[in-house]
Amino acid sequence: MRERLSSLRLRRLHWGGRVAPVAAVVLGLIAFSLPPLLNAAGTQSDASVVGLQAAHLLRGEWSWFLWGSGYQTSVDSVVAALAFLVLGPSPLALTLSTFAGHVALIVFAYATVERRVGPWPAALLVSPLVFTPAPLHIYIFYPPRQAALTWMFAAIWVLDRAPAKKWPGLWLAGGAFGAGLACFADPYVLLFLPPLAVFIWLTAREDVEGAVPNRDSLKTRRVLVRTAAGFAGGLVGLVPLWFLYRSAGASHSVYAVSGGVLSHNFKLLMEQCLPSLMSTTVYFTPEMPVTQVWQAPIWFQWIQIAGAAALVAGVALGGAAFAFRRLPLMVQRLGVFGASVWPVTLGAFLVSLMVMDRLSARYLNAMILTAPFALTPGLCLLGARRFALALSPYLISAGVAGWLNYGNDVNGWRMRLENGRAQDEQALMAMLRARGIHYGTSDYWVAYRFTFLARENPTVVPWQPQLDRYPPYRSAFQTQSTVAYLFDPWRSGEALAYREAQIRNGATDFEPVFGKYRVGRYSVLILKRRSER
């Protein structure tokens, strides 16, 4: 009995020692993420499209593609629909549906590095996924894309555990299958596949490194068989993406690359996107809708530079992990995998036709997401204390940049809650419903957000039909004799005076005389459709 009790106590201590660090990481992430979580009603239109499609999914309306997208699937909408089933359809439930995916991603990353360095050092390695710079927020708090990333990290975790299992080839095949299938959710994670191919080969070698010399042929055959199993699993996992790519309505522009954009993309990378990702340049919104560069004090600029240099040096060390013979193969292969994501991501960025502006920094996010893997060799070589000291400038820099990027959800170090109440939107909904107006039009960045907050009453479509994400909304809008035009000075990318002049001059389908009202910060035009003569 005493031996059994002693065994139970040791087991509790063991699990407590492993769970406590990851619990601390998750609690730290929640604390750092409170501003956007508490102000979930400040969501944007792209994310709102996911929420609207999720609500329609719960009514039995199915689509393989995300509304208005020919390359992203409805996987994130399915995840949001599950959240709606539990919490109800709300902005907070929508935000939590993708935030929970980031939490799961961190747990998978933690479980992967913990096998090599132990619990608390593993928590240190995943800390760059807690104190995140601005470009990562677009995936952490706003769907779509997070589901594919979480799925990919789950696949990496499976692949990494293969050498410790009885049937390593089967685990390699299963993990690679999951990685290929993740690309079906969103093709962005195709970036991970070239580094994963190397990772699979290195993983297939791990458990036979100590084979006796006279059995080299058996060693080689095992490596080849296990590598082939992994590659085969990955190819099978890619089959759904292939069928999606070949289906009617698929868009291929997201895959387009060209050397002709190299100069433009390189300039954008060096001047805006990479500094934003590395937190050496901080964009913030002191007052909506103005976004500007934060002029950091000189002493903090040195922290920013030191932090970026430390991160790059740590990743470079991971890329050169095979030069350090005293590192175990399991550490070397993980470092090489994490580091190799960087050149693949940068290369894809430089030739991609999807790169347009500063916000394209989000296409570089894979570099930060895989940083825990790339930094593992550095921690093993330096030790946890010296590594923590070296990484601290980056964590401080990224934490400040990420916090300031929360915009008017924060005021200095304090959180603000006004955006979470959406008082102007609630007042506008009540005004339109009281007038019997159930449809409207506006700038894209107002339309779907407002429609989601209003639960489709009223339903607002973009002024430009080519920006429609759900054609039935437009069809219903066209049947209405009286509609509203909404102008939000925070989000509208078009000039109110220009729209008013356009309507008055008879350049639209609406009568030139209209009513104009002010509800909170919104300007509202009540428009009557011209009758055909």
Side-chain angles (χ1 to χ4, degrees), residues 264-279:
H264 168 268
N265 289 5
F266 180 77
K267 182 178 180 181
L268 190 63
L269 173 73
M270 300 306 296
E271 293 181 358
Q272 298 184 48
C273 294
L274 196 57
S276 178
L277 185 80
M278 303 299 293
S279 301

Side-chain angles (χ1 to χ4, degrees), residues 14-67:
H14 174 70
W15 282 106
R18 298 183 69 181
V19 172
V22 73
V25 167
V26 172
L27 290 175
L29 174 66
I30 293 172
F32 184 72
S33 305
L34 280 177
L37 292 177
L38 296 177
N39 292 284
T43 188
Q44 35 94 326
S45 272
D46 279 349
S48 297
V49 168
V50 176
L52 289 165
Q53 185 173 13
H56 282 241
L57 283 173
L58 293 177
R59 298 178 213 155
E61 185 179 329
W62 175 255
S63 170
W64 283 106
F65 286 108
L66 177 68
W67 284 357

Side-chain angles (χ1 to χ4, degrees), residues 82-393:
L82 294 174
F84 289 177
L85 281 174
V86 177
L87 303 173
S90 69
L92 178 59
L94 179 64
T95 303
L96 288 176
S97 72
T98 188
F99 180 74
H102 185 66
V103 171
L105 183 152
I106 290 178
V107 171
F108 283 120
Y110 170 87
T112 302
V113 298
E114 192 269 341
R115 295 179 60 229
R116 294 160 171 82
V117 300
W120 286 106
L124 177 62
L125 282 172
V126 299
S127 58
L129 307 185
V130 174
F131 304 104
T132 50
L136 270 75
H137 295 173
I138 195 73
Y139 299 159
I140 297 173
F141 304 113
Y142 308 105
R145 191 151 287 164
Q146 184 59 55
L149 291 167
T150 304
W151 202 332
M152 180 60 70
F153 271 65
I156 293 168
W157 176 77
V158 172
L159 287 169
D160 183 65
R161 294 182 65 84
K165 298 301 178 181
K166 183 177 180 180
W167 304 100
L170 188 61
W171 275 71
L172 286 173
F177 174 80
L181 202 57
C183 302
F184 171 80
D186 193 299
Y188 174 75
V189 295
L190 286 166
L191 285 173
F192 290 83
L193 296 190
L196 271 180
V198 177
F199 187 67
I200 289 170
W201 174 66
L202 293 173
T203 304
R205 294 175 59 226
E206 182 171 310
D207 67 327
V208 292
E209 281 297 295
V212 292
N214 61 358
R215 300 185 66 184
D216 281 348
S217 61
L218 179 61
K219 170 183 173 179
T220 302
R221 187 169 62 189
R222 285 179 178 174
V223 171
L224 291 175
V225 168
R226 292 169 185 175
T227 303
F231 288 177
L235 289 173
V236 174
L238 286 170
V239 168
L241 176 65
W242 171 252
F243 278 110
L244 193 75
Y245 180 86
R246 301 284 293 179
S247 66
S251 172
H252 302 152
S253 60
V254 67
Y255 305 99
V257 296
S258 170
V261 298
L262 187 61
S263 176
H264 168 268
N265 289 5
F266 180 77
K267 182 178 180 181
L268 190 63
L269 173 73
M270 300 306 296
E271 293 181 358
Q272 298 184 48
C273 294
L274 196 57
S276 178
L277 185 80
M278 303 299 293
S279 301
T280 54
T281 298
V282 179
Y283 296 94
F284 80 119
T285 305
E287 183 178 350
M288 290 288 284
V290 178
T291 298
Q292 62 188 48
V293 175
W294 178 53
Q295 298 300 321
I298 294 295
W299 62 269
F300 191 80
Q301 291 179 28
W302 283 109
I303 292 178
Q304 291 174 300
I305 294 170
L311 182 65
V312 171
V315 171
L317 198 61
F322 283 115
F324 301 93
R325 296 300 182 94
R326 63 190 179 95
L327 290 175
L329 177 60
M330 68 185 302
V331 172
Q332 293 175 340
R333 63 180 171 85
L334 190 66
V336 169
F337 164 65
S340 61
V341 171
W342 283 50
V344 171
T345 302
L346 290 171
F349 183 94
L350 289 174
V351 297
S352 173
L353 296 180
M354 296 291 287
V355 173
M356 297 180 184
D357 53 26
R358 171 178 61 84
L359 297 179
S360 297
R362 66 188 184 275
Y363 299 135
L364 302 172
N365 283 346
M367 295 163 60
I368 300 298
L369 292 173
T370 54
F373 307 145
L375 296 175
T376 300
L379 185 144
C380 292
L381 291 170
L382 294 177
R385 291 185 179 179
R386 282 183 290 181
F387 180 83
L389 184 63
L391 189 62
S392 58

Side-chain angles (χ1 to χ4, degrees), residues 427-507:
L428 182 51
M429 291 172 207
M431 178 264 206
L432 294 174
R433 290 167 186 165
R435 290 174 171 268
I437 298 174
H438 302 290
Y439 286 86
T441 183
S442 68
D443 177 81
Y444 171 87
W445 294 107
V446 178
Y448 291 106
R449 173 180 179 268
F450 192 86
T451 300
F452 177 62
L453 293 180
R455 299 195 180 186
E456 300 179 275
N457 183 24
T459 294
V460 183
V461 300
W463 181 273
Q464 300 90 345
Q466 64 269 26
L467 297 179
D468 282 350
R469 302 292 295 268
Y470 186 62
Y473 284 163
R474 175 70 59 178
S475 299
F477 170 79
Q478 296 286 14
T479 66
Q480 303 297 304
S481 59
T482 303
V483 299
Y485 172 81
L486 312 183
F487 178 81
D488 180 356
W490 288 6
R491 293 179 173 83
S492 294
E494 53 196 30
L496 177 62
Y498 173 79
R499 284 282 175 251
E500 290 185 38
Q502 193 179 26
I503 296 167
R504 287 195 181 100
N505 293 336

